[in-house]
Amino acid sequence: MIKTRIAPSPTGDPHVGTAYQALYNFVFAKQNHGHFIVRIEDTDRARYNEISQQRILEMLNWLGISPDESPVVGGPNAPYIQTERAVLHQQHAQILLGNGWAYRAFDTSEELTAAREQAKLQGHMEQGYNRRDRGLSREESDARALAGEAFVVRLKVPLEGKTIVNDVLRGEVEFDNTGIDDKVLLKADGLPTYHLAAMVDDRLMGVTHVIRAEEWLSSTPIHVLIYRAFGWDEPKWIHTPLLRNPDKSKLSKRKSNTSVDSYREMGIFPEALLNYLGMMAWSMPDAREVFGVSDMIEHFSWERVSLGGPVFDLDKLTWLNGKYIREVLSLESLTEHAKPFLEQAGFDISNHTYISNVVHILRERFNLLSELPQKVAYFFKDIELEEKAAAKLQEGIEHLRALLPQLEGVTTWDQATLEPIFKGYAETSGAKLGAVMQPLRAAITGRLESPGMFEVLRVLGKNKVLERIKNALG
RNA sequence: GGCCCCAUCGACUAGCGGUUAGGUCACCGCCCUUUCAAGGCGGCGACACGGGUUCGAAUCCCGUUGGGGUCACCA
């Protein structure tokens, strides 16, 4: 069975890069009727954050990307929290120590830091680990470990030859073994590093396709070597292009909005975010730009992934979100999503039909739910007359005065009744329709922009409308 | 700096030897119109450069340049 996974590290806000990877892994797994696994990589105890872990899981839930195996739903290869698998990792480090593919290194962090700084001082960047203890005899190594001396376990990388990474998207990528470090597999605290833990867990969990960000490509030869050291068959390696900041550097918190929660707060729909991420580096065969995860599952293929790193563009995401608001989502769903935003603004949302009507006539006029409250304020509280609107109102105040009696007499308060009244008035009085409607708009909404006036009048209701006109007339 | 990846409009992309290089966002103009939008129509705008291969290159190969990633007891 095809198995894919994401292995987020719980160290901060739920990252769009994680959502991006989750999408690829989920879509590919589902397309092949396989499993999508979420495994929490929490071996870095210094940066670990419990809340972060929960938020990442919640993000996936919000996006509707549900894992087949995870810390919450469990699965045949539990646990799915890496630190809970530490014994497994230690046992595997032991195997490598036994078969000669790894060795204990007794350097202290201080020594390593000093060596690194020394190298820096000598001009060049750094040459990598000096492999001081690589040649230690088995007896000495065992004795020192037994005596309680602190050590790490390092991979014994071949001193010559090449390691070839077969990346599904790029083909064969060659690395000279001389350029690969004897990476730490097991830290002094007994916990594994990513290199060991991820490979062991992937193998044990039956992961067939490692789909991850391109930043991992350069450490993949290490992973290939680890698989080889255990005598295991390699999974497929797939490195997807990195999401970028506008300046083309790797998407970062410092330069962009990387928190999925922040997009959620802006009023971006999960469907829209997923859709947008889906068109980063990948494209629909028929060039459609509005598509859902199920469409992606149906048409996905690695051949359609382009390798240049896509810049994350909020403008286009916003446009796409608007597209969902006016073309994809049902009015009912849109209304439900809008409520929390309106409520947060202090508006009364108890009348569902009213909210639905308001949302309905605003639909083509906003792209983010967070824009909504400001745009519909006059439906929920008294108007705030804007300066330009006030001027417009004064220009046409006499029209409103003339119209008021007629409006008071209206019994069926709908567009079919109201429109002829205004048009008829404009015609007989010789005024342009706009010269009548704009002052009306100012009186009713306090501003010069709004949905069609007749819709606003209908939704607001006769009482409120007459009240506001009278108010305007003084 | 070493190693590795990448390279079509400002951004996202289509293209996979023969196209007036197409679409979307953004921007500009026009139409529609009671305003603002939405929508429709149109415009602006790209194959990084240099060598090859070929009858023919955006498409294939090499180099240059440019951008990015990575060089932790972090993932």
Side-chain angles (χ1 to χ4, degrees):
Chain A
M1 176 168 57
I2 298 289
K3 281 198 178 191
T4 65
R5 52 74 166 171
I6 55 166
S9 186
T11 54
D13 293 336
H15 200 283
V16 292
T18 305
Y20 185 54
Q21 290 306 321
L23 212 217
Y24 274 112
N25 277 275
F26 180 77
V27 165
F28 185 70
K30 292 298 121 184
Q31 183 177 57
N32 292 285
H33 311 289
H35 271 192
F36 166 60
I37 303 172
V38 173
R39 183 179 66 226
I40 300 294
E41 308 250 335
D42 58 345
T43 54
D44 183 352
R45 299 321 281 174
R47 293 200 303 158
Y48 175 73
N49 178 331
E50 192 186 339
I51 301 300
S52 169
Q53 176 174 323
Q54 290 163 8
R55 289 174 65 202
I56 290 168
L57 263 6
E58 162 55 22
M59 167 189 82
L60 258 16
N61 185 43
W62 178 69
L63 289 171
I65 293 187
S66 21
D68 299 288
E69 303 175 29
S70 80
V72 271
V73 300
N77 300 294
Y80 292 90
I81 304 237
Q82 205 152 55
T83 47
E84 293 173 16
R85 308 172 61 83
V87 177
L88 248 24
H89 303 129
Q90 285 154 6
Q91 286 168 355
H92 280 81
Q94 207 57 45
I95 292 174
L96 263 25
L97 238 24
N99 71 191
W101 266 95
Y103 61 93
R104 293 192 190 90
F106 296 90
D107 319 72
T108 64
S109 312
E110 293 72 39
E111 285 172 331
L112 293 177
T113 310
R116 219 168 283 135
E117 268 162 23
Q118 181 77 11
K120 219 172 205 171
L121 232 60
Q122 285 168 5
H124 27 270
M125 260 317 252
E126 75 164 295
Q127 303 299 314
Y129 176 57
N130 63 21
R131 296 173 159 143
R132 190 185 72 183
D133 295 343
R134 180 162 161 135
L136 242 44
S137 72
R138 179 66 137 271
E139 293 71 31
E140 182 179 354
S141 176
D142 286 351
R144 287 170 69 175
L146 213 57
E149 193 173 340
F151 65 87
V152 300
V153 174
R154 284 178 182 272
L155 181 67
K156 199 180 276 185
V157 175
L159 267 10
E160 49 189 33
K162 295 177 186 304
T163 297
I164 292 169
V165 172
N166 212 310
D167 183 89
V168 169
L169 298 177
R170 293 159 245 268
E172 293 190 348
V173 182
E174 266 190 23
F175 294 86
D176 250 306
N177 287 154
T178 51
I180 306 173
D181 242 4
D182 282 356
K183 288 293 176 192
V184 171
L185 263 22
L186 207 61
K187 297 180 267 191
D189 64 3
L191 287 179
T193 58
Y194 173 87
H195 303 302
L196 208 225
M199 295 311 110
V200 168
D201 291 343
D202 282 350
R203 170 69 187 194
L204 265 32
M205 291 179 177
V207 171
T208 56
H209 297 251
V210 173
I211 303 163
R212 55 181 5 177
E214 186 178 358
E215 56 187 326
W216 289 106
L217 185 57
S218 55
S219 43
T220 307
I222 298 161
H223 303 155
V224 168
L225 254 15
I226 291 175
Y227 263 83
R228 199 170 294 166
F230 284 115
W232 299 335
D233 287 334
E234 283 176 49
K236 296 283 186 202
W237 306 105
I238 301 162
H239 293 91
T240 61
L242 246 20
L243 259 23
R244 312 289 186 93
N245 294 311
D247 70 1
K248 298 279 190 182
S249 57
K250 171 168 84 165
L251 193 69
S252 66
K253 193 176 174 179
R254 196 74 201 106
K255 297 174 179 173
S256 303
N257 240 324
T258 59
S259 162
V260 172
D261 287 359
S262 75
Y263 291 105
R264 189 175 174 174
E265 283 158 18
M266 283 167 66
I268 296 280
F269 289 87
E271 295 91 334
L273 213 213
L274 249 16
N275 187 160
Y276 181 68
L277 291 176
M279 56 201 228
M280 302 266 73
W282 185 77
S283 61
M284 238 0 184
D286 64 1
R288 236 183 311 166
E289 291 209 295
V290 179
F291 56 84
V293 172
S294 60
D295 299 312
M296 208 173 159
I297 291 170
E298 188 179 344
H299 298 284
F300 186 79
S301 71
W302 294 115
E303 288 91 72
R304 297 195 65 81
V305 173
S306 60
L307 266 13
V311 171
F312 193 95
D313 179 23
L314 185 56
D315 278 348
K316 190 153 186 179
L317 206 209
T318 302
W319 164 78
L320 191 59
N321 202 59
K323 207 81 174 154
Y324 272 76
I325 288 172
R326 67 189 96 95
E327 292 177 13
V328 182
L329 269 16
S330 69
L331 177 60
E332 186 58 25
S333 161
L334 188 54
T335 303
E336 288 309 323
H337 281 285
K339 280 181 180 174
F341 285 82
L342 297 175
E343 185 169 35
Q344 198 182 21
F347 302 155
D348 176 12
I349 57 162
S350 59
N351 186 337
H352 180 81
T353 307
Y354 186 65
I355 304 290
S356 174
N357 286 337
V358 169
V359 169
H360 176 66
I361 66 175
L362 255 297
R363 214 169 171 169
E364 296 187 333
R365 294 171 170 80
F366 69 106
N367 290 318
L368 301 169
L369 286 171
S370 54
E371 301 170 11
L372 194 55
Q374 181 274 124
K375 289 188 186 267
V376 300
Y378 55 83
F379 281 108
F380 298 93
K381 52 181 197 185
D382 292 341
I383 63 163
E384 287 170 36
L385 194 58
E386 289 175 359
E387 205 173 310
K388 283 181 180 171
K392 216 24 155 194
L393 177 57
Q394 281 318 306
E395 276 177 33
I397 192 103
E398 289 316 316
H399 295 312
L400 299 188
R401 200 182 304 282
L403 247 2
L404 184 58
Q406 274 197 77
L407 293 175
E408 285 180 313
V410 172
T411 48
T412 314
W413 194 259
D414 60 12
Q415 176 153 0
T417 312
L418 293 168
E419 191 164 352
I421 293 176
F422 285 87
K423 293 210 163 144
Y425 172 83
E427 211 165 305
T428 54
S429 72
K432 279 188 175 175
L433 189 56
V436 181
M437 300 307 280
Q438 281 301 73
L440 176 68
R441 174 169 278 115
I444 305 298
T445 70
R447 34 231 231 196
L448 262 18
E449 317 83 36
S450 83
M453 261 335 276
F454 299 115
E455 294 181 300
V456 173
L457 296 182
R458 173 177 53 80
V459 171
L460 216 40
K462 183 176 177 182
N463 290 345
K464 265 275 185 295
V465 169
L466 294 183
E467 177 191 318
R468 287 187 184 176
I469 291 177
K470 285 173 188 162
N471 253 329
L473 293 174

